[in-house]
């Protein structure tokens, strides 16, 4: 059985930030590309761009800035706000996992161990 993990989805009004969007932001930070980040998540560019537009519209300023193509091609990077949002979301995940560790362990103990063939 794989180690349990907590997946956190935060909803504030109509805005939502969850593990998929956070992973996309991480991918953009790492690759410098919306397309590459989406591919790394087995997501189409259209879907990745749609999520970026959704996040950019939900916050007071964009989380992701695009650089148009040119001689060296285009790209994307997280803005200062994008870095802050991602850092705070990851910190919230860690806090929730730490605070819920006892309950996560208890729930895990109640599951059938599939490796025993049960």
């Amino acid at each position: 059985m794989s180690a349990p993990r907590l997946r956190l989805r935060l909803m504030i009004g109509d805005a939502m930030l969850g593990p998929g969007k956070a992973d996309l932001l991480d991918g953009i930070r790492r690759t410098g590309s919306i397309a590459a980040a989406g591919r790394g998540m087995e997501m189409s560019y259209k879907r990745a761009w749609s999520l970026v537009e959704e996040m950019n519209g939900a916050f007071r300023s964009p989380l992701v800035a695009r650089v148009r193509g040119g001689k060296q091609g285009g790209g994307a990077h997280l803005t200062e706000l994008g870095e802050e949002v991602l850092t705070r979301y990851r910190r919230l995940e860690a806090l929730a996992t730490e605070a819920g560790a006892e309950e996560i362990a208890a729930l895990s103990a109640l599951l059938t161990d599939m490796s025993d063939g049960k």
Side-chain angles (χ1 to χ4, degrees):
M1 185 180 329
S2 63
R5 60 191 172 115
L6 183 66
R7 308 267 302 173
L8 182 67
R9 179 165 289 126
L10 178 64
M11 296 196 262
I12 304 171
D14 291 336
M16 195 270 291
L17 183 61
K21 288 178 181 175
D23 290 349
L24 182 61
L25 290 174
D26 260 335
I28 293 167
R29 176 202 280 161
R30 198 174 49 257
T31 65
S33 165
I34 295 169
R39 276 192 306 274
M41 297 175 68
E42 299 182 1
M43 179 187 301
S44 71
Y45 175 77
K46 182 177 180 179
R47 178 71 179 141
W49 179 240
S50 174
L51 291 173
V52 167
E53 284 185 315
E54 190 178 310
M55 288 185 284
N56 280 351
F59 287 86
R60 66 175 178 227
S61 63
L63 304 187
V64 176
R66 277 181 45 195
V67 178
R68 293 240 181 240
K71 204 172 193 181
Q72 296 183 318
H77 64 274
L78 299 189
T79 62
E80 187 175 322
L81 182 60
E83 291 284 354
E84 180 178 356
V85 166
L86 182 58
T87 297
R88 289 183 180 279
Y89 177 82
R90 293 298 190 209
R91 192 177 308 140
L92 183 57
E93 277 184 320
L95 289 169
T97 299
E98 183 181 329
E102 186 177 327
E103 296 303 323
I104 292 168
L107 286 168
S108 295
L110 297 174
L111 295 173
T112 301
D113 186 358
M114 299 303 278
S115 64
D116 287 346
K118 293 181 182 179

